Amino acid sequence: MATFAKLSFNKDELNKELSGFFKGILENGAVDAVLAPMAQGKKGVRLSLVTSAANTGAVDPFAPVAAVSGAKIASSLTARPSGRKVAMVLRPCEIRATVELVKLKQVNLDDVLMIGMDCLGRYENTDFTKFQEQGGTSESFLDNAQAGKTATGDFDVAGACKICEFPAADNIDLRLCAIGSGSGAVHIEAVTEKGKAALEKSGVKIGDAPAGRDEAVKKLVAVRTEARDKKFAEFRAETDNFQALGEKLSACINCYNCRVACPVCYCKECVFVTDTFRHTGDQFMMWADKGGLLKMPNDTMFYHLTRITHMSLFCVGCGQCTSACPNDIDLMPLFRTSADKTQAKFSYQAGRSVEEEQPMAGFEADELFEVTGQAK
Amino acid sequence: MAEKKPTGTVLVAGAGISGIKAAIELAEVGYKVLLTDASTQIGGILAKLDYQFPTDHCGMCRMLPMVGREYSSQYCMRKSLFHENIEIMPFAEIQAVHGDAGNYKVDLLKRARYVDPSLCNELEECIAVCPVEVADEFNHGLTKRRAIYQAIPHNTPKMLAIDMQACTSCGECVKVCTSGAINLEAQDEMETREVHSIILASGVKLYNTREFEDAKSYAVSPDVVSSLAFERMMSSSGSYRDGEIKRPSDGKPAKNIAWIQCMGSRNRRQKRDYCSSICCMFALKEAVLAKEKGGPGVESTIFYMDMRTFGKGFQQYRDDAVEKHGVNLIRCRVQGVMKKPDGALEIRYFDPETNEFFIKEYDLVVLSTGQIPYETHKKWADLLNVGLDSRGLLATEEYSKIRLAGKPGLFICGSLMGLTDVSEAMSSGIAAAGEATKFLCGIGADTVKEEEIPEPTANERELSQVSVALCKCGEKPGAEGIDYALLSAELQKYHSVGEVQIVESFCKDNGETAAVDILSQTKCNRLLIGACQPFMYRQNLKNVARKAGFNSSLVEVFDLFGIARQGMTQPSIKEWTMRAAHEVRADIEKLNFKPALHVSALPINQNALVVGGGFGGMQSALSLAIRGVPVHLVEKDGQLGGYLGNNVEATVDGLAPMAKAQDMQLKVYQNKNITVHLNCEVESTVGTLGSFESKLVYKDSGETSYLHHGAVIMATGGHEGATTEYGLGTSDLVMTQGQLKKGLASGDIDVSGTENIVMIQCVGSRQKEGRRYCSRICCMWAIANALKIKEKNPDARVFILYRDVMTYGFYEQYYSKARTAGIIFMNYSLDNKPQMEMVEGKPVVKFMDTVLNEEIELTADLLVLSTGVDPEESNNKLASAFKVGLNDDGFLAEADSKWRPIEFQQVGLYLAGTAHSPMPLKSVIMQAEAAAQKAYAYLSGREVHTAGVVSKVKDAHCIRCQRCVNICPYGARSYDDMENCISVDPAACQACGMCAVECQNNAAEVAGWTDKQLFAVIDAKLMDDLLLSPVE
Amino acid sequence: MSEFEPKIVAFFCNWCTFTAADLAGTSRLSYPPNIKIIRVMCSGMVDPKFVLKAFLNGADGVLVGGCWPGDCHYINGNFKARRRVALLTEILKQYGIDEERFWLRWIAASEGNMLKEVADLMTAKLRELGPSPLQQMGQMVG
Amino acid sequence: MDLKGSIQDLWKDIYNTGDLHHCFNCSTCLSGCPASYGDPPLLVRNLARMVILGLEEELLNEDTPWACVSCSKCEEMCPMDVKPFEMILAIRQWQSANDETRVPPSIVEIYKRGYTQAVGVNTDLRDSLGLPELKTITNNPELLQMFREMLMKTPVVSANDYMFGG
């Protein structure tokens, strides 16, 4: 039976209430540090690493923004571990990417207390600034979004969030529940023993589970799944040939930002910026000769297709690629539609479990006979 | 000044796979080998087999040494064999042997081929004009050939010959031959060679139903074929086409096919009271293949007496054949085949499963024809003036299958020992090479000293520029097909090409000097040589290039003539040349982007570790020690000898293991090169190839020590299995064969008053639960014990309840001997196992007799169980220490079950004896010799050279995700925790490139196979703007 | 359309399929010149990048040839190749390059005839299908 | 069947040669035996096994040895040179020696039907090869009568004529 703590808060005091919890776990030695979204003065919310209990006041976990995927930060902190215990407050997509990175040995969860928050979506970084300017707060967002109103003025949450079927996190120790908690309250759920111990140490009061939560989550997932399937169908119809794909990518300038932002593109340096793709003048001329012309910079489609082969099995659908594109190419559906197919092919789901072997790491002698169509 | 030692020279007579293996192993150590064969080609029987157990595909190339893998496809064994220390002399017969061990003079009759292969341009126009057609013996008459012909269609280079018996001397071939290679007046020639040692690997004659007395009963139609002929029917270079097995008489698809086993074998009437060992597996494989290759609806039925699936993996194959493929097995030897008026082949048989007679029609009948050894053995005995044993076979030493008795320097291997499967042919070939090596060491013969040409360094910062050198190939008129001036001009157009040189001939002596002169002058830093037969000359050409100042990794060779010819029929000279220019572009680009490779030499620690002090271990230790190798022999028990040496006084074939073990122990302890570690086990091992450090733990004291060694031979042996069936352990009257053997030897078991003794074979063996395999020796053990009982008490009745009597090969004689001694063999089936209950203190065995189809009840005074052989549990620890595999049954998993039975994937690691699978003593000793030879060859190399083509880590790009470590099939990659980096063991890496694919940012790369190179090759391949015209 | 001759880039494993191609050659089983053979050490060495590169550079089909299961000279490279081919097929299919243009086949060294069969079949299939969707874009798509 | 009652050395009485023990029950003798078409069939292999096991009573009651038509195919094809035909003759002798009144059932058969073995087995084959129809006793009742009269003159039949009634 999961253990819950209910945090009721007065208006504009959600973060104050939450900071009490984080203060508690730091002060009482449950962890040595907290990585959580924190307000950066009046503008912007960013993940920050807090080691002093006195500095937990600025936490804002439910702020609808994720400028950089927390999975990347988790990797920075633990790939070469400090040996100190860290509580990480991450979004479901970030956690799912983290799960993939664990398998890729880029994250080490040994000393991590993973805290997942309910996610109702995030705004693009610039939109979030506008949101704040218009007086938006995490509280207002939670209330509006639960009522189905994620849009604020002329902007809405990221396209990826609208079709995200994982509003609640898994593979965590503690969960910050907002969905179905009712106005003026959030819950903290201890999912593991480790989480329970931390929750108890934090000093918050243990209480009942939020009554309407499961139902609310289910409903939300259903809405998003439907939106997802619609989006997939649309996108697939739009890009059922290379010509169309080429047009989608026509604004691409080979900046490779999408792969820098991608939490599961974990290479130190993309192969496309290495010597392998530093061609000679002679080669360019040869390619140009072939059809009479060559788009420059070249290798654009090559890059995107290669990226799909590399990351589609790990893709968690966070949409950071779209957010990162300086030329507003909506890359998310490109990767998600492929990921949907490739993960299904291997009955794999990125981010589902640390135990699940990544498909390219193994093989079975008796499988995939349809590939060669040859018996035995 | 000391006299120069002579180079050790060995004649290997017979170029089937065992002879080839022996030759390769000797050549690798550095001895000169003359490999002869009586036929026009090499390859023996295996040249005819496209499909080999257990994967049913060809794997001959796996017998090649594990070096130069990058080029090994050129070494396809089905084509030919190339080694600088091996001289191949096909179509030659040994006429006389003079002299004695260490100094043989051999008179060889070199038969006239009438076509000189060194002049032949391989255009085969002579074949096209030859008016004579005769049956092609390679395809067992299924196809026709001309009088001038190439015996094995896929041999490269082509080795044409004229069949003078068929030739009408019309001279048409001479007229069309532009190279003057044909001489119809050619004569056989005699040549005398001096060799130190001789290995006989001629194989034996096979039974031919058309030649022998059974012809009238079985070979009644062209649709009754031998098993070898059936192989050719399944081969695309035979008569197999369009997914159908065609019956010879009318070309109709054969759907219902029957195999009849034991043709000419196990036949006392024909004075062939032996088994031919391999036919059962042969038939099973063919029956499975027929179902796979023959299209839907093919039915395979095998008529057999005992299905002898005694070897490693055989029983599993049989089970799969029946259960997965639906092959019918019927235990009935049929009296004959009847040809019906419509050509169908009728067989009447008695099915013991239903106890009924059936008459069935078949489209094709395959006779599993066995060996005819006596003629061959007699011929060798006369030639070499050696004795035959009582059976009429060449007499080998008591404990050896290889060493001819009383004739040092003379050895046999392969099917001369009795028909052998591939695995045993390999082991025996290596073992024979081992014996010859020991002999050559003993007489002080030297190995070939390689001339070291220093490797020029490559300046990697230079821009790459390729020089192309085209060989005009001197006098070979085939080269006329290329317009060199045009080709040269075309190649010059490529940006990467700096210069194009034309060389008269690389392979002729003076040509080499000329080539070096020309090449030394070029300003380019990479060299691409276009010549013929690159697989033959690659090494030489690389040496030429080195002399001219090229780093050999930056020199490539391509097949100038082969490359252009593919897919072109009757091209004009221009077409051909343009095509060559186009095709070679990919090679140019690949070389252009190739980085210089560096080969490093890692020293090999000269100690050998032998694990297991039984016969396998002792034999390998002694074999290495007498060649001067320091050996550490580790035994887990308190004394040497293993299970056999400590428990078994005598075997059925008259060996005395306990006495022999005493004798060998003495030799082991006396040999100063051997250090024995008793009560000791290998706990763990660290280190890389050539330099292992093993932790030894002494069980009694708990002490540990560390041993540095370069090679290891795992000879852990096995022991008699245990069972809880049949009340073993609950009554004194129930015991295992091992217990009975001991008891009979010591006299503890007295059979003088015993009436009935019942033995049950395969207890807990050859079944899904328990031991899935046949333990190979239990039938012989049971027979030995039964005979012993009969000797002590002729009135005792001994019943042996069996499933299949596994007295394979010449062990068959002991089965016969047992029957004539009155021992009664009764068959039972697995789904009707004998039941036992104790009645009045005596075991009563009930079972269904498949002959009388009646339940039989036997009251036994002794019930003896054959409980099989179990592997040692210590195999687990050993396997994990050395990162080698175990099979599902707990035996060590060798590198390749057919072609590399003695070694593991990694060099320096070997196995022998029962650690591999249960086997009789002589086979253990043979494998031990083979393992010792492999270890010796490895250690005597002193250094292990990393291949230049090897996987690398670009550390700056590496994110340490370790996917490459996980994917490497050789364990060559590891993550170094201390250094936080990925390291590659360059000696273990086989450059398969899987890590390179797995690594997404190319931090793992195989030098010589980089993405950059492959991209350039793909570009070149797709730059084809020539008009494509399909050639049918 | 009958004028159309497909270009097929064939990545053949050094040990089995490449040797089979060689055998087909020496056995005078001529296969169509549409097949552009590139020798690789193992089918497990075929990087998806190679396949993408081939299609992007105008190949109408890509054929990967490896050893039969159990016969890989690098123990299990062919099994790994099979997973990669399955993966890549899933991706390319969306844009019109499906399993009809991208083949993996097991061809043993002795199966020169099967090599010819596969080469003939694939060439015929691609003649029927016409130029690759990438070719139809008319220029080097890099 | 309990082998307790079997007689180990029975084979010495019946067929005392070393050849018999070579038998490994391969069934060659069965598969082409013309007498194995009968009912009950002659199963040579089983007779050998019975002799070796020493099943005296069973062997005495066995009538099938008398069905042998002496074609000698088993003799010719036996891989172990057991000489099965000689064994069958030996069994017949042994049976007769042990039971003087024994009338071989095959003689009764012959008396009744004129034949023991169906000789019309290959009629289709003969027909397809264009061979004339065989003249057999089956299609010639007069011959059968003559044959019976001849048989009645032999001592073994006349002494036991009650068995041939009708």
Side-chain angles (χ1 to χ4, degrees), chain B residues 232-254:
Chain B
R232 299 314 301 157
M233 295 175 65
M234 302 290 298
S235 168
S236 56
S237 56
S239 67
Y240 181 77
R241 297 281 183 283
D242 315 320
E244 274 177 356
I245 302 164
K246 296 178 173 40
R247 59 180 201 181
S249 63
D250 53 10
K252 284 192 185 147

Side-chain angles (χ1 to χ4, degrees), chain B residues 754-758 796-799 858-862, chain D residues 3-4:
Chain B
T754 318
E755 278 177 35
N756 288 325
I757 292 143
V758 179
R797 292 179 99 181
V798 185
F799 298 90
L858 280 165
T859 304
D861 300 296
L862 272 185
Chain D
L3 288 191
K4 256 183 201 152

